[in-house]
Each structure stands twice: as structure tokens, then as C-alpha cells.
Amino acid sequence: MTTQSIYYSIADLQLNITFPSECNLPELLPNFEPFRVSFQSDKPISCSVTVTEEEFPFERDKAKLLSDISIVWGDNFTFYETEEAYYILIKTENDPSIQWKMRSSKDFRKNVIYCGPIDKPKNQLISWFCMVAFAQSALLHQCVMIHASVVMNDEGGYAFLGKSGTGKSTHSKLWLTHNEGFELLNDDNPALRIVDEEVRVYGTPWSGKTPCYRAESRPLKALVRLRQAPHNIFYVKEDKDALLALLPSCSAIRWNLNLYSTLINILVVIIDKVKIGELHCLPDKEAAQICFSHVQNYNK
């Protein structure tokens, strides 16, 4: 089988994806196209992903089950660990006896995805596998993926965190409507990275249901956790409270102590450099204005 390798720059890190040569990459992964680059030797490769139509073995009796539930895949998902690797298995909807899978090295630098014949209907699955691999491997480069919606202006980016259904996208839309000069950077899975002692927020190929795939970045000005309430009140979070506000929204494998401790160290630096807040709010104009007034022009 002949292959082709394509490079993508995400958060100034390279993701290398290898596909069978006959695949039409722009059609298969259109959300990745804004991030496509030629090989750049001056930027570190976060991870490599090989997508293959040839199934690789998985010996369940030699593996330890770490999780069998996923927000995205529900009970069709299982996550295993062996001495050398991690395995993620996804049952197919039409035939539960068939399982698509990804095998990853313990640091997620090297990954292999099998999902049967590669075609367009599998683009969400392949994209999701790539996101998991990138999110874990990027931690080793002072970069963390978060579940958030991000708006930006010329000066910086502002990220809104919260549980699914809290209203992150709604709050971003309120900022775009009522606070002049803002645009959407990403609506689901942006990346934060510490670069030269500055925290920056980046767009990524993963933006949930909103097709916002922008290969741009801004200095991160604030991270705000949203909570639905019958009023609009902003609270500043510091130290331990700030860590607890950020941690639930971060992508990290909790069972890998090296990656998890790396995540904590990254968050400690972010907390020291960026304003962290919690907004109890209604989905209205006043919420966006109150939040903006608390975080604009803020310097730690």
C-alpha cells in the first residue's frame, strides 16, 4: 500500500498524518485544510498518526480496561492499556461486532488508526481520533486543549468554559453582538500554549458543531467559567479555586501520571499569568457587558 504524509500546524506544533495515497484529503478532513503546511523543520512534531485500512491485532485478555464511557461515543467506547500502548475502541453503529480502533504509544507521539475502508462518512471518527492523539502529545510542548468557546479581537482572546449545555456558545454570540470588534476564534476545542513566557490561545481543526476552523492565535487575556443563574455576577478565581475552575475543561488522560502532572504544571503557569473568573449569568446582553468590563485590559 502506497501512502502520502500531510503536515498540519496546530498551536505552532506539527501533526503528521499518513493516509493511503488514493485518499482525497481535502474531502476527507476539510476542517484540517486551513492548518495544512509543508514540512517545517523549525517546529516540533507533536505527534504522527497513520490511518490504515489494514486491521492490527488487539489482545483484550492482555489489556487493562480504563474506561467504558465517553461523552461523544457513549457506551460504544472503551479505553484500554497494555504494557506498551493505549488502545481506544469504538463500536460501529450498524454492526457492534466491528470495532474501529486507535493504538497509541504511552506519550501519544505515535498513533495508528484502523477504521476499515477509508471514506467520507468516517471523517468525524478520524478527526476525533486525531484530536485525542494531539491533545495528549501536545502537553509535552506546554500546550493544553480545552473544552471552551473563544472570542478574539486585535488585542487578545477570551475563553469561556463550562459544562455542556451551560451556554458557552451563547455567551460568545453575546460578546460578538454587544462588544465591538470581536470575532469567533473557536467554538469547542481551542488550544492554549505557553510561548516565551506568554500564554496564547489558538484555533484548531476541532470546533464542535460550529464550522470555525481558523489557523490564528492571540495572547490569552482571560478564562471565564460560566454557570447559569438568575443574575449576572462575576467572581475572580485565584490559586486553588482557579485550578479547580480550569481542570474539568482540560483534555488529559488521568491514568497517565506523567501527562497529568504535566497538565497541572501548565495550568499553574497559566493561572499565574492570566485572569481566571467565574460568571454566574443569564443569557443576556448585561452578562456579556459585565464579563467584558471585568476582563478587559487586565494585566497580572
Side-chain angles (χ1 to χ4, degrees):
M1 181 181 68
T2 59
T3 62
Q4 57 179 323
S5 292
I6 307 296
Y7 294 88
Y8 302 93
S9 179
I10 305 167
D12 287 326
L13 299 172
Q14 289 195 72
L15 168 64
N16 175 15
I17 306 182
T18 300
F19 289 87
S21 295
E22 63 271 17
C23 286
N24 184 329
L25 291 180
E27 181 180 273
L28 185 65
L29 294 175
N31 49 313
F32 281 65
E33 283 303 293
F35 302 86
R36 187 169 175 172
V37 295
S38 58
F39 176 75
Q40 296 174 298
S41 59
D42 60 324
K43 292 183 179 180
I45 295 179
S46 177
C47 67
S48 62
V49 176
T50 298
V51 184
T52 178
E53 294 182 335
E54 300 174 2
E55 187 169 7
F56 52 82
F58 169 65
E59 298 179 273
R60 196 182 305 270
D61 59 337
K62 295 183 179 179
K64 178 182 178 181
L65 177 64
L66 297 179
S67 178
D68 60 0
I69 192 70
S70 163
I71 294 175
V72 176
W73 305 106
D75 58 5
N76 291 321
F77 164 94
T78 48
F79 181 59
Y80 290 89
E81 180 181 18
T82 67
E83 187 174 341
E84 297 84 17
Y86 290 117
Y87 289 82
I88 296 175
L89 281 67
I90 308 292
K91 294 179 184 178
T92 66
E93 293 183 359
N94 297 329
D95 186 352
S97 67
I98 300 175
Q99 291 187 317
W100 308 147
K101 52 194 173 184
M102 179 170 74
R103 181 183 66 226
S104 303
S105 60
K106 287 297 183 74
D107 58 7
F108 288 85
R109 290 180 185 271
K110 296 185 181 298
N111 310 269
V112 181
I113 296 170
Y114 165 74
C115 58
I118 300 170
D119 50 28
K120 189 173 181 181
K122 301 202 181 79
N123 54 6
Q124 180 189 7
L125 175 66
I126 295 171
S127 179
W128 185 84
F129 273 138
C130 288
M131 181 179 69
V132 171
F134 179 82
Q136 305 313 308
S137 63
L139 290 167
L140 301 176
H141 300 279
Q142 296 288 284
C143 178
V144 57
M145 296 275 292
I146 62 170
H147 184 46
S149 183
V150 179
V151 297
M152 66 178 179
N153 61 10
D154 292 339
E155 285 73 40
Y158 302 81
F160 308 120
L161 320 175
K163 295 179 180 179
S164 295
T166 300
K168 298 182 292 296
S169 297
T170 297
H171 194 73
S172 284
K173 290 176 183 177
L174 290 169
W175 272 57
L176 303 183
T177 302
H178 301 294
N179 296 328
E180 187 176 352
F182 282 93
E183 299 176 85
L184 188 67
L185 175 61
N186 185 275
D187 203 34
D188 196 50
N189 287 104
L192 310 180
R193 189 175 178 210
I194 303 166
V195 183
D196 297 328
E197 299 188 359
E198 178 185 60
V199 182
R200 299 189 67 85
V201 58
Y202 294 79
T204 73
W206 307 287
S207 189
K209 297 178 181 179
T210 304
C212 183
Y213 311 115
R214 306 184 69 164
E216 299 183 45
S217 73
R218 294 289 189 277
L220 180 63
K221 297 297 184 180
L223 289 151
V224 180
R225 176 161 287 277
L226 304 178
R227 293 188 184 276
Q228 294 179 347
H231 48 248
N232 295 312
I233 303 176
F234 187 94
Y235 300 92
V236 175
K237 297 292 181 178
E238 296 180 335
D239 303 323
K240 178 184 176 181
D241 290 336
L243 180 63
L244 293 175
L246 300 186
L247 195 54
S249 297
C250 298
S251 298
I253 301 298
R254 269 59 173 177
W255 302 280
N256 186 312
L257 295 181
N258 181 46
L259 292 177
Y260 192 65
S261 62
T262 300
L263 167 65
I264 298 300
N265 291 335
I266 294 171
L267 294 182
V268 168
V269 175
I270 291 174
I271 289 167
D272 184 59
K273 295 180 177 294
V274 177
K275 185 165 188 177
I276 314 297
E278 183 172 286
L279 181 67
H280 294 200
C281 60
L282 293 161
D284 61 13
K285 175 181 177 180
E286 183 189 55
Q289 293 175 331
I290 287 176
C291 188
F292 178 64
S293 69
H294 276 278
V295 300
Q296 69 174 330
N297 302 320
Y298 180 86
N299 293 298
K300 273 204 170 184

